[in-house]
Amino acid sequence: MSDLLERLRGRGWRMTSQRRVVAQVLDGDHVHLTADEVHARAALLLPEISRATVYNTLGELVSLGEVIEVATDGRARRYDPNAHHPHHHLVCSTCGTVRDVHPTRDPLTDLPVEERFGFTVAAAEVTYRGLCPSCTRAPAQAPA
Amino acid sequence: MSDLLERLRGRGWRMTSQRRVVAQVLDGDHVHLTADEVHARAALLLPEISRATVYNTLGELVSLGEVIEVATDGRARRYDPNAHHPHHHLVCSTCGTVRDVHPTRDPLTDLPVEERFGFTVAAAEVTYRGLCPSCTRAPAQAPA
DNA sequence: TCTTGACTTGGATTGTGTCCATCGTAGGAT
DNA sequence: ATCCTACGATGGACACAATCCAAGTCAAGA
């Protein structure tokens, strides 16, 4: 995702080691990390990086549209680097695993005007909830 | 909704003035209050009620399925007393107001099997985001 | 009326996120 | 290559949401 670094530079970002490291962490797996998890992983690469900088950088990436902020549980927000292709989330109610999914239809088109109450509606997020394959098989707990 | 009090008694709840007051507050408008807002309104009726009790009672109502917990953003969770009629939520990105809405189509039917990754999908929640009428008019919270 | 354990209390604690004064440095200018 | 300076980083204080806990209280059955 050196693409990302290019785009940021193109937007006038001053490129610092901290910002590089945060971008690198997000570029890793397509897991949905919390800010503190991003900070922990970034600190492995750049031990002195501060939490404030991680929060600042994530906030900037979100407002640039490069990263999506996901609030599934009322706990810590999670950051989703897969902002290029629109998608939604499938969450396992037992273990909390999150997968990106792609429904065939945009739910925005299914909200009639009389159900919008004068709002300027910009987006629709769908959270599918259910049990992932391994939690379906072992409903209680299965360390194994 | 003295129904609610009946159901709770039927489930073995010890009926206290605190619990009665929390149920009464939720029964008011169908607004989606935060725990602190519930506490504030409850305190008008029963000044000594503590935050901890409000949190406890809300948590119990949620696990009994009488109230739905809504985590729309990284801010405070909101409590939705309209648990017995399926619906979705329209959230103002600026002020956090939540309205119940009823799309014309269930997004569950738009998630193809090959996008379910073996999950047993049980439910789909849609969160529509936008600006409410008053935040559309006053984008930066500026008093006219 | 008595008894008991479920409930309530408020203060401490944890978790998440923001603010701010100060220091450091990327990158353009010379 | 060196200098300048505005932008970014730092970390500690602060704010807010939620939970925990030990001690006191009281609803409701006997």
Side-chain angles (χ1 to χ4, degrees), chain B residues 13-55:
Chain B
W13 259 32
R14 178 175 294 186
M15 197 47 55
T16 68
S17 54
Q18 291 85 352
R19 286 172 167 182
R20 240 190 310 271
V21 162
V22 169
Q24 194 175 336
V25 166
L26 289 174
D27 189 26
D29 342 55
H30 266 193
V31 185
H32 301 65
L33 302 171
T34 64
D36 256 10
E37 288 164 351
V38 172
H39 177 245
R41 295 192 182 198
L44 295 177
L45 304 169
L46 186 68
E48 331 80 65
I49 193 171
S50 75
R51 274 186 179 68
T53 295
V54 171
Y55 275 101

Side-chain angles (χ1 to χ4, degrees), chain A residues 71 74 77 90 99 101-105 107 110 115-117 119-120 122-133 136, chain B residues 71 73-74 90 99 101-105 107 110 115-117 119-120 122-133 136:
Chain A
R77 300 171 199 168
L90 173 54
R99 293 218 53 152
V101 293
H102 304 82
T104 54
R105 191 180 166 90
D110 297 315
E115 280 284 306
R116 298 192 181 198
F117 303 102
F119 278 56
T120 307
E125 303 163 8
V126 186
T127 304
Y128 295 93
R129 298 191 188 271
L131 296 180
C132 72
T136 301
Chain B
D73 50 16
L90 172 55
R99 294 220 48 155
V101 293
H102 303 83
T104 55
R105 194 179 163 89
D110 297 315
E115 279 285 308
R116 298 193 181 199
F117 303 103
F119 277 57
T120 306
E125 304 164 8
V126 186
T127 304
Y128 295 92
R129 295 189 188 274
L131 296 179
C132 72
T136 300

Side-chain angles (χ1 to χ4, degrees), chain A residues 81-102:
Chain A
N82 187 19
H84 288 21
H85 288 289
H87 61 277
H88 297 278
H89 293 114
L90 173 54
V91 181
C92 176
S93 308
T94 298
C95 67
T97 304
V98 177
R99 293 218 53 152
D100 289 356
V101 293
H102 304 82

